[in-house]
Amino acid sequence: MSAPAAVFWQKNPALAWREIDDETIIISPNDSVMHELNDTGSFLWKNIDGRKSAAELAELLVENYEVTPEIALSDTEALLQEMSSRKLVVAVPATSGVSP
Amino acid sequence: MSAPLANSGRGPRQQFELSIGCVALRLEMSDAQLFDAASARYAAFTGAAAQPVTIALNEGAAPEGPPADFDYEFEGAALRVFSNGIRFDGVRHQYALDSLLRVLLSWKLLGHCGFLLHAATVIRSGKAYLFTGRSGAGKSTVASLAPEGSVLTDEISLLRRENGAWRAHGTPFWGEFRAAGSNTSAPVGGIFRLQQAAENQATALRPLAMLRALLPNVLFFSADAEANRRLLEILSQAATEISGYNLAFRKNSAFWEVLPS
């Protein structure tokens, strides 16, 4: 398996979102589509700030939920891919904390 | 109500002021036919207590200067909001004017912690009950089953959070009733999502479910991220503070009996 690309994840700045009842509602104004995240997805969403990789986000998941590191990383990568395909998040080059 | 202004060469400019949900607007136009139609259509909403925002209709070339803060086009008619005034251009009939007023109001209400909702509003015992849903859900049926004089609107409701409480205002934007709206307001008693069913039954909604019920029925026309964030903030507050229900609705007047008091 090839090494994962050195990327951080950030929220699409064109979106509007709101947490309510431990879930997150995300609105995409350009196409008027509504997305929902459950509590785990909401936790990751809150921590997606353009300065963390999938591995770092998975570590936070391990610290806050009863989940093994392997499953946390697998779930985080799957969710990021799903959110990326829906244009909710974008990958940016990891410009700090990563060796060239 | 009307007063001739300076002659622009296309007939005397006339103006009238209206207030919808306490948002004060002044319409200026040279088209006498459109003026008469608009004056009649919004007769119940004329007069503005607060300092109105001026809307210039069909005034030709746009002023030089910075781009519009908000713009929207609908069937050849265009709305542009500038820092020093608002322009409606390409407005050929009262229905286009009505559409642009809805769009403008949805934008202006952001600054008043308010929004427009596809809903009928009925006053009962001094409180406003809103019945929301898409076309065919039963908004007009609810309005037709309500006592005469108790309906604020059968189509587009206006909600605002004022002094810590939500109020529903009448609007001149009507559906099948095609009557003048009622320019009054009342504290909101509840919002009901209409679902046709064999029996009448009301079921309480949690805030998240309420937000899901509101979102598809809110009128909003801006793709600007910041504006949508503000809208979502307002709607979340409404979903949290206003009692929301699913109303299984048989389309008869007995539905009143299942509404929570």
Side-chain angles (χ1 to χ4, degrees):
Chain A
M1 205 169 93
S2 61
V7 296
F8 290 159
W9 291 91
Q10 71 176 28
K11 298 180 182 83
N12 180 343
L15 303 173
W17 64 90
R18 197 81 189 165
E19 189 176 340
I20 186 166
D21 286 351
D22 295 327
E23 297 198 16
T24 301
I25 297 268
I26 303 170
I27 304 292
S28 173
N30 286 320
D31 49 16
S32 298
V33 174
M34 182 175 83
H35 307 268
E36 293 187 34
L37 300 175
N38 62 16
D39 65 336
T40 316
S42 296
F43 175 81
L44 286 174
W45 179 259
K46 274 188 287 192
N47 286 288
I48 292 172
D49 57 4
R51 296 193 298 271
K52 294 185 186 72
S53 65
E56 288 167 313
L57 290 166
E59 280 175 28
L60 289 173
L61 211 53
V62 170
E63 289 169 15
N64 288 275
Y65 291 83
E66 290 183 9
V67 61
T68 64
E70 294 76 19
I71 291 175
L73 183 60
S74 164
D75 286 356
T76 299
E77 288 179 337
L79 185 68
L80 288 169
Q81 285 306 317
E82 173 73 15
M83 289 198 287
S84 177
S85 70
R86 293 171 185 250
K87 297 186 170 60
L88 303 182
V89 296
V90 290
V92 294
T95 54
S96 62
V98 176
S99 301
Chain B
M1 190 168 77
S2 64
L5 300 176
N7 193 320
S8 66
R10 292 175 291 118
R13 277 172 78 200
Q14 293 178 289
Q15 68 177 33
F16 69 90
E17 294 179 354
L18 67 161
S19 175
I20 306 171
C22 298
V23 177
L25 306 166
R26 177 190 290 133
L27 282 160
E28 293 183 359
M29 64 188 87
S30 305
D31 183 328
Q33 200 174 353
L34 185 58
F35 179 83
D36 290 343
S39 300
R41 190 176 184 94
Y42 305 115
F45 290 80
T46 51
Q51 185 65 32
V53 179
T54 298
I55 303 170
L57 253 81
N58 301 336
E59 287 302 306
E64 296 282 333
D69 295 331
F70 171 53
D71 61 270
Y72 188 82
E73 289 195 21
F74 177 74
E75 295 183 355
L79 171 164
R80 280 168 294 172
V81 178
F82 298 100
S83 55
N84 60 351
I86 299 168
R87 306 275 307 231
F88 286 1
D89 291 300
V91 178
R92 293 181 177 81
H93 45 69
Q94 58 175 306
Y95 306 108
L97 173 60
D98 202 67
S99 296
L100 292 190
L101 278 176
R102 295 178 193 205
V103 175
L104 175 65
L105 210 54
S106 72
W107 169 262
K108 294 293 288 182
L109 282 169
L110 284 184
H112 299 277
C113 198
F115 60 97
L116 295 178
L117 184 70
H118 275 293
T121 299
V122 179
I123 304 294
R124 189 175 167 93
S125 303
K127 287 192 173 175
Y129 294 91
L130 288 87
F131 301 88
T132 188
R134 293 188 178 278
S135 297
K139 297 189 292 293
S140 293
T141 305
V142 166
S144 68
L145 292 170
E148 193 176 338
S150 66
V151 182
L152 286 191
T153 170
D154 72 335
E155 179 73 9
I156 308 291
S157 295
L158 189 158
L159 290 97
R160 278 183 62 172
R161 193 174 191 274
E162 301 163 45
N163 302 316
W166 289 91
R167 293 186 73 84
H169 293 254
T171 72
F173 311 126
W174 280 57
E176 292 177 15
F177 262 43
R178 305 201 187 287
S182 178
N183 193 8
T184 56
S185 70
V188 175
I191 298 180
F192 298 83
R193 176 169 57 186
L194 294 170
Q195 294 176 323
Q196 290 184 39
E199 297 297 330
N200 295 316
Q201 185 179 9
T203 312
L205 295 174
R206 291 172 53 83
L208 176 64
M210 173 73 153
L211 183 58
R212 283 194 200 111
L214 291 177
L215 276 166
N217 294 301
V218 170
L219 279 79
F220 201 64
F221 306 88
S222 169
D224 177 71
E226 199 52 48
N228 278 271
R229 280 176 203 140
R230 177 63 187 139
L231 176 70
L232 198 50
E233 191 180 340
I234 293 168
L235 295 176
S236 297
Q237 193 163 16
T240 304
E241 296 177 345
I242 299 174
S243 299
Y245 305 86
N246 265 338
L247 179 62
F249 174 47
R250 198 182 168 187
K251 291 201 170 184
N252 63 20
S253 58
F255 75 90
W256 284 111
E257 295 164 13
V258 303
L259 300 193
S261 55

